Every structure is written in structure tokens, then in C-alpha cells.
């Protein structure tokens, strides 16, 4: 007689378990979808903000604020800066703006600053004359570096006349004259009418009352000035401090 065949037993899960697992799966699915949606929205927001900042006038230049100009007008500085209205602030070529403004002859120094949301500030320092040189086309202003930077129809007030053949920061005579003027003490400056030189070693200073001082080079100017102030207490029209250890007056 053949043995009876046993059927495989099948374990049937309760319906409640299936529903619970299905609910857990849907919950996990919703969390995953929500996270992906948040990530996508965040990415789109970053891309959109970056595009607006870098490629639209949203944070573009709406104002160019000029500070420190005295003789130059604000419009002259803005024209030299050549900043296009609406240009994205973060993409501005600050070095280029600096160099264009610094190329103005009267500008000694310039700082360029970005200021959100849409302002560029230009801080200007203009050149200050230490003297003026009379040439056929007018009076050339020379600053403390020896640069010839402007021409006026009349002599600049409050500074001495500089007698130079070709004023330039590369000219030895100009450097010597400017070197002397820069280091003159305040007590002596009001008496200085003219400073001249043909080389770097033959500076001559003319004072009020037709008094003439042979200065020599710009070396030891503070010491020479101190010696001269003592000598000016004596009568005379010609003074020599080119060798401050052996000064003379006549």
C-alpha cells in the first residue's frame, strides 16, 4: 500500500499585518518624495538666486558715490570710472575701475568699495601742489612726488614758484627741489618765494626781502633749515647752507 502524500503547509499572513506594512511603505515613500522635493526646491532656489545676483540687475549698480573730490567734479570721476548702470555688483572689475580713476592726473589715490544692495563708493585723494612752475602754456602744478599734474592760467596761491626747465618726477632737478620743499619747517615756509635748480645739487631758495639761500642738494634739509633759521637773525641777503657745518652769510 502506498504511503499517504502530505501537502505543504502554507502560512497565511493576517490581513492586518499586510495593511500595516503597506501603510509603513507608503509613509516611507512619502518621506523620500518629500525629501527629494525639498532638495530639488533648494537647488532651484540656489540656482535662481545665483542667476539673479550674477546675471541680472536685481543686485546691480544703481548708484556711484564719489567721496573726497575737491577740484574734480563727481561727474568727472564717474565718467572715468565707466561703471555701467545695472551691472551686477559682484561681477564688477574693481581693479579696472581703480586703474581708470587713478589715471586722472589730479588723482593721487583711489579706493573702490562695493556696498549692498547696489552702490559703488569711490574714495578719492586728490594731489596737493607743493609749488607751480611757470611755462609758456601756463603755471604747471607739481605735487610732493614731483609729478606735473595740472596747468593753471595763474600761479597757484599759497605755494612757492618752482623754477625748473622740465618738471617731472623723473627729473633730478625736480626731485631735488621737491625734496627741499617737502622738508621745510612750517616756521620757514611763509618766507619762501621761489625754489630753483638745474640739477640735483644746485638748489637755490629765494626768501622774502630778496634774500637768497644757496641750498645745494636736498640732503640734510632739516639740518640746513635749522641752521638757516639761526642765520636769518643776522643781517644779510646771501646765505649759504650747502655745507651746514660751515654756513656763511653776507
Amino acid at each position: 500500500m502506498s504511503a499517504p502524500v502530505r501537502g505543504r503547509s502554507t502560512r497565511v499572513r493576517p490581513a492586518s499585518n499586510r495593511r500595516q506594512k503597506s501603510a509603513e511603505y507608503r509613509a516611507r515613500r512619502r518621506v523620500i518624495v518629500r525629501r527629494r522635493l525639498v532638495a530639488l526646491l533648494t537647488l532651484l532656489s540656489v540656482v535662481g538666486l545665483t542667476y539673479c545676483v550674477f546675471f541680472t540687475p536685481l543686485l546691480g549698480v544703481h548708484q556711484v558715490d564719489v567721496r573726497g573730490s575737491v577740484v574734480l567734479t563727481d561727474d568727472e570721476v564717474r565718467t572715468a570710472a565707466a561703471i555701467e548702470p545695472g551691472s551686477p555688483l559682484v561681477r564688477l572689475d574693481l581693479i579696472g575701475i581703480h586703474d581708470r580713476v587713478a589715471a586722472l592726473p589730479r588723482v593721487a589715490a583711489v579706493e573702490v568699495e562695493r556696498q549692498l544692495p547696489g552702490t559703488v563708493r569711490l574714495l578719492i585723494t586728490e594731489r596737493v601742489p607743493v609749488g607751480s612752475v611757470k611755462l609758456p602754456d601756463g603755471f604747471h602744478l607739481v605735487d610732493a612726488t614731483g609729478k606735473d599734474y595740472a596747468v593753471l592760467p595763474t600761479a597757484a596761491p599759497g605755494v612757492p614758484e618752482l623754477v625748473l626747465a622740465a618738471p617731472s618726477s623723473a627729473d633730478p632737478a625736480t626731485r631735488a627741489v621737491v625734496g627741499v620743499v617737502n622738508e621745510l619747517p612750517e616756521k620757514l615756509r611763509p618766507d619762501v618765494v621761489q625754489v630753483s635748480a638745474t640739477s640735483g645739487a644746485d638748489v637755490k631758495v629765494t626768501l622774502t626781502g630778496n634774500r637768497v639761500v644757496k641750498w645745494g642738494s636736498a640732503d640734510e634739509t632739516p639740518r640746513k633749515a635749522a641752521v638757516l633759521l639761526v642765520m636769518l637773525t643776522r643781517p644779510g641777503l646771501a646765505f649759504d647752507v650747502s655745507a651746514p657745518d660751515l654756513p656763511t652769510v653776507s
Side-chain angles (χ1 to χ4, degrees), residues 4-78:
V5 179
R6 295 181 179 180
R8 294 181 180 178
S9 62
T10 303
R11 187 177 181 179
V12 179
R13 296 178 180 178
S16 61
N17 288 346
R18 290 199 301 272
R19 286 196 297 272
Q20 181 179 358
K21 290 185 178 295
S22 177
E24 290 175 354
Y25 172 78
R26 286 195 299 272
R28 288 198 300 271
R29 182 69 178 172
R30 284 196 297 271
V31 171
I32 293 172
V33 171
R34 189 180 301 115
R35 288 176 178 173
R36 289 178 178 175
L37 182 59
V38 169
L40 178 60
L41 291 176
T42 301
L43 177 61
L44 290 176
S45 298
V46 171
V47 171
L49 180 61
T50 301
Y51 179 80
C52 290
V53 170
F54 281 85
F55 300 102
T56 74
L58 181 63
L59 288 180
V61 178
H62 302 296
Q63 180 182 5
V64 178
D65 183 20
V66 179
R67 301 287 181 90
S69 58
V70 179
V71 178
L72 290 169
T73 67
D74 292 355
D75 285 341
E76 287 175 323
V77 176
R78 291 189 185 102

Side-chain angles (χ1 to χ4, degrees), residues 51-137:
Y51 179 80
C52 290
V53 170
F54 281 85
F55 300 102
T56 74
L58 181 63
L59 288 180
V61 178
H62 302 296
Q63 180 182 5
V64 178
D65 183 20
V66 179
R67 301 287 181 90
S69 58
V70 179
V71 178
L72 290 169
T73 67
D74 292 355
D75 285 341
E76 287 175 323
V77 176
R78 291 189 185 102
T79 298
I83 302 172
E84 193 70 26
S87 301
L89 199 64
V90 297
R91 294 178 60 198
L92 285 178
D93 179 8
L94 299 188
I95 295 177
I97 295 169
H98 172 278
D99 291 346
R100 289 193 294 272
V101 175
L104 291 171
R106 282 189 175 273
V107 173
V110 58
E111 295 180 25
V112 184
E113 299 177 350
R114 296 188 186 98
Q115 293 191 332
L116 293 174
T119 298
V120 177
R121 176 167 290 175
L122 304 176
L123 304 174
I124 305 296
T125 302
E126 290 191 11
R127 298 184 188 277
V128 177
V130 298
S132 59
V133 183
K134 185 178 181 180
L135 294 175
D137 60 340

